[in-house]
Amino acid sequence: MPIANCKRCGRLYNRAGRDICPECIRQEDAVLLEIRQYLKKHPQANIYEVAEGTNATYEEIVEFLRDGRLILRDNPNMAYPCERCGTLTQSGRLCANCTQVMAKGLGHATATLHRDETQGKRGKGFLSQTQRYVGS
């Protein structure tokens, strides 16, 4: 296993997928549990109120939401800004409008690439190891 420094505390640890050490993972999980318990008791709370009522910071709560580790079902006031436009959203990194715009752009780019490949615009032949053009 590769050894890495924890991005939160700086300790060395055997990295097994996450960027933080097992101790920081335990601390994060405890904070996440505390947030969930707080939201069960205070379903109308916003992010700032949750941060004040728990050991979590505003930034940690937003990161949990963006990463999908904290899912909101009955908490209408837990909104945070979209990373692209700043519109308030309750899940993921982008609001619904930005997600749709990005998906449409990706679909258009994919269609253009596919069209170019089928029309032969990518060229015929290839470059050999000696970087000479080989083809018709």
Side-chain angles (χ1 to χ4, degrees), residues 1-67:
M1 276 191 232
I3 294 177
N5 286 84
C6 176
K7 75 174 189 176
R8 286 184 64 195
C9 69
R11 283 187 218 131
L12 283 176
Y13 72 103
N14 287 332
R15 185 173 181 196
R18 302 257 328 254
D19 291 339
I20 59 176
C21 68
E23 179 60 31
C24 287
I25 289 172
R26 279 191 286 280
Q27 291 172 4
E28 222 177 57
D29 289 344
V31 169
L32 195 54
L33 180 62
E34 186 180 2
I35 292 168
R36 288 183 180 133
Q37 290 171 343
Y38 186 89
L39 286 171
K40 282 182 184 178
K41 293 178 185 174
H42 309 285
Q44 298 300 315
N46 63 35
I47 294 176
Y48 295 104
E49 293 168 343
V50 173
E52 285 180 25
T54 65
N55 290 320
T57 65
Y58 173 87
E59 291 79 15
E60 287 175 318
I61 297 168
V62 170
E63 198 60 34
F64 288 145
L65 291 164
R66 286 184 173 151
D67 290 345

Side-chain angles (χ1 to χ4, degrees), residues 64-124:
F64 288 145
L65 291 164
R66 286 184 173 151
D67 290 345
R69 294 185 65 200
L70 181 61
I71 298 171
L72 305 174
R73 287 186 174 77
D74 301 319
N75 308 97
N77 297 324
M78 292 285 290
Y80 55 93
C82 167
E83 286 186 356
R84 186 169 178 258
C85 72
T87 300
L88 294 180
T89 187
Q90 282 196 301
S91 65
R93 296 189 172 278
L94 303 174
C95 66
N97 187 46
C98 287
T99 300
Q100 187 177 31
V101 167
M102 299 280 279
K104 198 179 285 186
L106 182 61
H108 178 70
T110 302
T112 301
L113 274 173
H114 180 67
R115 185 185 67 239
D116 289 351
E117 285 178 350
T118 58
Q119 291 178 355
K121 290 187 179 179
R122 294 194 86 206
K124 297 175 184 172

